[in-house]
Amino acid sequence: AQKVTQAQTEISVVEKEDVTLDCVYETRDTTYYLFWYKQPPSGELVFLIRRNSFDEQNEISGRYSWNFQKSTSSFNFTITASQVVDSAVYFCALSKTSYDKVIFGPGTSLSVIP
Amino acid sequence: KAGVTQTPRYLIKTRGQQVTLSCSPISGHRSVSWYQQTPGQGLQFLFEYFSETQRNKGNFPGRFSGRQFSNSRSEMNVSTLELGDSALYLCASSLERGQGTDTQYFGPGTRLTVL
């Protein structure tokens, strides 16, 4: 069975600090997709990244970076120089194919304090 | 370019009634996905449609159904509402979900309250 664990329920950081959100997944599939989504206080989900299990290269997008490690079944998300606008709930997710049903983690609530 | 729209934004129903929610994707997008979000169960995948075909469905009872029209607009229906169906229902659209750099765009959601 597939499962996504986000052990950090809530995190608070001071603005400009770096923060890493952990994501550990379980799957028996040899190929799969991993995702990160952001849900700000407004409630509207924002898609951040999709990563195919074939591609273990880390990705950087501005202040965001993702570290995918198949050996530890982790797909961690780091925000560099955090800003107040980064305050949100972040969800990690897993699916077998790009359009298969997605299994979400419970989310990590990030508060960035000015 | 207009974003994903969902109607209605808020809805109050009573147990036993049925409800239909609508999602209009971004123009040109053919994939529409639906999600349910509750405090207890978190975010859960409902179903995904592409070119009027349901490609996958989450673990929800048959009371939850959906469809997609030729213009890619999608509706989901919940019959015989239960208190536990109270949730935020989110819809997302993409050109072809999961291909290359394809991005999902989410609507603001429909907040359903079942009394």
Side-chain angles (χ1 to χ4, degrees):
Chain A
Q2 295 184 322
K3 184 179 179 181
V4 176
T5 301
Q6 294 179 259
Q8 304 149 310
T9 306
E10 296 181 4
I11 301 177
S12 279
V13 299
V14 176
E15 202 171 18
K16 297 184 183 177
E17 285 185 348
D18 298 347
V19 59
T20 295
L21 309 183
D22 297 333
C23 173
V24 173
Y25 61 92
E26 294 175 29
T27 181
R28 293 181 180 177
D29 299 315
T30 53
T31 63
Y32 47 88
Y33 288 77
L34 295 162
F35 307 79
W36 274 96
Y37 297 87
K38 172 184 179 180
Q39 188 171 40
S42 62
E44 198 162 318
L45 268 178
V46 177
F47 168 88
L48 295 177
I49 189 172
R50 172 197 309 106
R51 175 49 53 87
N52 185 307
S53 57
F54 285 135
D55 183 3
E56 292 191 65
Q57 199 169 20
N58 290 332
E59 178 143 349
I60 298 174
S61 176
R63 296 184 297 106
Y64 294 170
S65 63
W66 290 270
N67 184 338
F68 176 32
Q69 292 200 340
K70 248 179 163 176
S71 59
T72 56
S73 297
S74 65
F75 187 43
N76 296 337
F77 172 33
T78 297
I79 302 174
T80 303
S82 60
Q83 300 176 0
V84 173
V85 293
D86 296 328
S87 296
V89 180
Y90 291 86
F91 295 93
C92 179
L94 166 71
S95 72
K96 184 176 180 178
T97 68
S98 61
Y99 55 84
D100 212 324
K101 64 179 183 179
V102 181
I103 305 297
F104 289 89
T108 295
S109 178
L110 173 65
S111 295
V112 181
I113 304 165
Chain B
K1 196 173 188 182
V4 178
T5 57
Q6 292 187 246
T7 56
R9 291 292 312 279
Y10 302 91
L11 203 51
I12 300 176
K13 291 285 189 179
T14 56
R15 279 181 297 175
Q17 287 187 311
Q18 75 165 26
V19 66
T20 298
L21 311 183
S22 179
C23 173
S24 292
I26 291 173
S27 178
H29 285 191
R30 296 190 296 168
S31 171
V32 174
S33 301
W34 287 90
Y35 305 85
Q36 180 198 63
Q37 186 173 28
T38 61
Q41 300 298 317
L43 265 170
Q44 294 183 279
F45 171 81
L46 276 159
F47 23 63
E48 193 258 355
Y49 287 88
F50 180 76
S51 292
E52 301 180 67
T53 299
Q54 185 182 88
R55 292 199 289 193
N56 227 300
K57 183 175 181 180
N59 296 329
F60 280 83
R63 300 185 297 106
F64 290 81
S65 63
R67 59 178 175 169
Q68 186 179 35
F69 301 95
S70 58
N71 62 358
S72 293
R73 188 178 70 86
S74 178
E75 289 181 347
M76 66 162 282
N77 184 278
V78 187
S79 62
T80 318
L81 283 166
E82 300 178 358
L83 295 179
D85 298 332
S86 294
L88 178 66
Y89 290 89
L90 293 162
C91 157
S93 79
S94 62
L95 281 169
E96 157 58 276
R97 179 166 168 246
Q99 296 302 311
T101 57
D102 192 20
T103 297
Q104 269 186 308
Y105 296 88
F106 284 82
T110 293
R111 173 76 61 184
L112 171 65
T113 301
V114 181
L115 303 176

